[in-house]
Amino acid sequence: MSEIRLQQVTKRFGDIVAVDRMSIDVKEGEFVVLLGPSGAGKTTTLRLIAGLERPDEGAIFIDGEAATDAHPADRDVAFIFQQYSLYPHLTVFGNLAFPLRSPRRRLREAEVTARVQEVAQMLHMESKLGNMATHLSGGEMQRVAIGRALVRQPKVFLMDEPLSSLDAKLREEMRIELKRLHRTIGATIVYVTHDQVEATTLADRIGILEHGCIVQMGTPREVYGNPASLGAAQRLGSPPINVLPATLFDFAALPEGTSTVAIRPEDIVLHALDARDVLNFRVLEYSPLRHLLILDREGTAIAATTMTERNFVPGQTVGASLPPRSLLYFGSDGRRIPA
Ligand SMILES: Nc1ncnc2c1ncn2[C@@H]1O[C@H](COP(=O)(O)OP(=O)(O)OP(=O)(O)O)[C@@H](O)[C@H]1O
Ligand SMILES: [Mg+2]
């Protein structure tokens, strides 16, 4: 059974179609990351699942039950926003206990304390329970915000760029923390980010969003190795995939309708200059620490990663080949064309 199912869901804001006939299945316990450019409809998708927006068309199911018209409070879904909003006049304990003290829950105070202790331990925040919420680092505040969702033990967690306001080091720590949490509690998580490192390290499956549609849904490996569109190909990979005009290639060797050809930097093979079937490139830049070579061919810059011991200097000519089995072909609409 899938925990979350969107069936042909459309959401419009006036003339804008924010979500366009979107269908998704998220399995129980799965960590799904939605990745896409600004305005692609990521936040709107989460808000639809949470019940903060109502779809114009389509249906939403949570835990097998129709949820399209259910009130947000009846969905058993926790939403963690980009900007953590803690109650500044409460301690960490008070913030964590807050959702448990709602009249709907009617928990005894001993149960509240036990539950808060348990979550604080999970988040390594036991020693900070007495701190005022404002006397915390950014990472700690975000952990309390996550903890406030955890105490409720919801079926589903929705997270909208929860780490984007943290610095790089904290973000990395929190990423590991979140992964661990997911393993420990086995929750179903739908997570939105712009950050491809976050997406590839956290996700069981990545959903690539473009213009309100899921253009591809697959494991990070599937999306990386077998992208369905040029957009999906460019979304993952650092340095990014090379996108080259079809004119650089032998026209007869290209599948019909090809307008661009893409190749991952690590798939470019460097050769000795006198090897056969090798193209000549001019070196524009070389960064030995990143094993990154920027080459030029007829005014098009191409990134290549190489573990070679050779040294390169700007201006020199090198031989390289773009193996046909590593080439990805795309039409003018960005859709993948099979080789
Ligand atoms: N309440 C609203 N009223 C009008 N238009 C909206 C509203 N919410 C979202 N939109 C529009 O819907 C589209 C999708 O917005 P959404 O916030 O879902 O994008 P996003 O993928 O989360 O982008 P970002 O990465 O910038 O957060 C955008 O064109 C946005 O301007
Ligand atoms: Mg957003």
Side-chain angles (χ1 to χ4, degrees), residues 4-55:
I4 306 167
R5 166 169 292 176
L6 267 62
Q7 232 167 40
Q8 296 282 314
V9 168
T10 295
K11 176 67 194 175
R12 296 186 200 91
F13 296 106
D15 292 341
I16 293 172
V17 186
V19 170
D20 191 5
R21 286 163 292 168
M22 186 186 291
S23 296
I24 314 184
D25 269 304
V26 180
K27 297 186 201 72
E28 191 173 348
E30 198 174 21
F31 200 132
V32 164
V33 173
L34 301 180
L35 193 61
S38 189
K42 303 180 298 295
T43 298
T44 307
T45 303
L46 292 191
R47 290 177 58 83
L48 285 161
I49 298 170
L52 302 174
E53 303 287 354
R54 207 193 164 282

Side-chain angles (χ1 to χ4, degrees), residues 42-44 82 160-161 192:
K42 303 180 298 295
T43 298
T44 307
Q82 175 174 2
D160 196 355
E161 309 201 39
V192 160

Side-chain angles (χ1 to χ4, degrees), residues 14-321:
D15 292 341
I16 293 172
V17 186
V19 170
D20 191 5
R21 286 163 292 168
M22 186 186 291
S23 296
I24 314 184
D25 269 304
V26 180
K27 297 186 201 72
E28 191 173 348
E30 198 174 21
F31 200 132
V32 164
V33 173
L34 301 180
L35 193 61
S38 189
K42 303 180 298 295
T43 298
T44 307
T45 303
L46 292 191
R47 290 177 58 83
L48 285 161
I49 298 170
L52 302 174
E53 303 287 354
R54 207 193 164 282
D56 295 307
E57 284 151 38
I60 297 173
F61 300 87
I62 296 175
D63 207 11
E65 299 198 14
T68 318
D69 298 309
H71 192 271
D74 297 327
R75 295 192 185 203
D76 205 6
V77 161
F79 205 136
I80 297 164
F81 300 92
Q82 175 174 2
Q83 284 305 339
Y84 31 83
S85 46
L86 303 182
Y87 301 110
H89 60 290
L90 295 181
T91 60
V92 170
F93 186 98
N95 269 279
L96 290 175
F98 195 87
L100 298 175
R101 287 177 172 152
S102 95
R104 288 169 73 105
R105 297 224 170 220
R106 290 196 216 139
L107 285 183
R108 276 178 296 128
E109 207 43 39
E111 290 174 76
V112 171
T113 304
R115 186 82 198 109
V116 168
Q117 294 281 3
E118 187 188 341
V119 166
Q121 197 176 357
M122 225 186 269
L123 295 167
H124 304 305
M125 290 289 289
E126 299 113 298
S127 65
K128 298 286 167 81
L129 281 172
N131 279 41
M132 291 308 286
T134 44
H135 295 178
L136 297 170
S137 72
E140 289 167 343
M141 286 189 201
Q142 192 56 303
R143 259 186 279 170
V144 177
I146 293 169
R148 222 165 35 177
L150 282 174
V151 290
R152 291 174 39 200
Q153 299 176 300
K155 286 197 201 98
V156 169
F157 289 86
L158 306 174
M159 305 192 187
D160 196 355
E161 309 201 39
L163 308 186
S164 61
S165 54
L166 307 178
D167 68 36
K169 183 165 175 292
L170 263 177
R171 214 159 51 223
E172 183 165 347
E173 280 172 25
M174 286 299 293
R175 214 162 55 217
I176 294 164
E177 221 40 9
L178 273 178
K179 189 80 186 165
R180 186 178 60 81
L181 259 177
H182 177 243
R183 263 199 306 270
T184 318
I185 59 177
T188 306
I189 301 178
V190 184
Y191 187 104
V192 160
T193 183
H194 279 102
D195 181 334
Q196 57 159 317
V197 180
E198 250 171 52
T200 46
T201 49
L202 289 171
D204 295 320
R205 281 192 302 157
I206 293 177
I208 303 282
L209 251 85
E210 282 171 25
H211 309 295
C213 298
I214 297 271
V215 294
Q216 185 170 17
M217 186 103 177
T219 63
R221 191 179 288 274
E222 281 163 2
V223 177
Y224 185 84
N226 196 15
S229 72
L230 187 57
Q234 289 174 299
R235 206 62 26 221
L236 296 185
S238 175
I241 195 164
N242 292 295
V243 180
L244 310 171
T247 49
L248 276 188
F249 295 82
D250 173 12
F251 184 70
L254 297 177
E256 200 180 319
T258 299
S259 81
T260 46
V261 179
I263 183 167
R264 298 271 176 208
E266 66 272 22
D267 289 335
I268 293 177
V269 183
L270 297 179
H271 296 278
L273 267 182
D274 49 5
R276 290 173 55 197
D277 293 332
V278 161
L279 300 173
N280 287 352
F281 294 83
R282 200 164 54 85
V283 173
L284 291 178
E285 276 174 54
Y286 178 52
S287 162
L289 282 181
R290 298 174 63 205
H291 306 285
L292 177 62
L293 198 56
I294 309 290
L295 304 171
D296 169 83
R297 170 105 186 154
E298 296 172 18
T300 302
I302 301 174
T305 45
T306 166
M307 298 300 277
T308 178
E309 294 291 308
R310 275 166 72 184
N311 191 34
F312 302 94
V313 286
Q316 98 179 75
T317 303
V318 298
S321 59

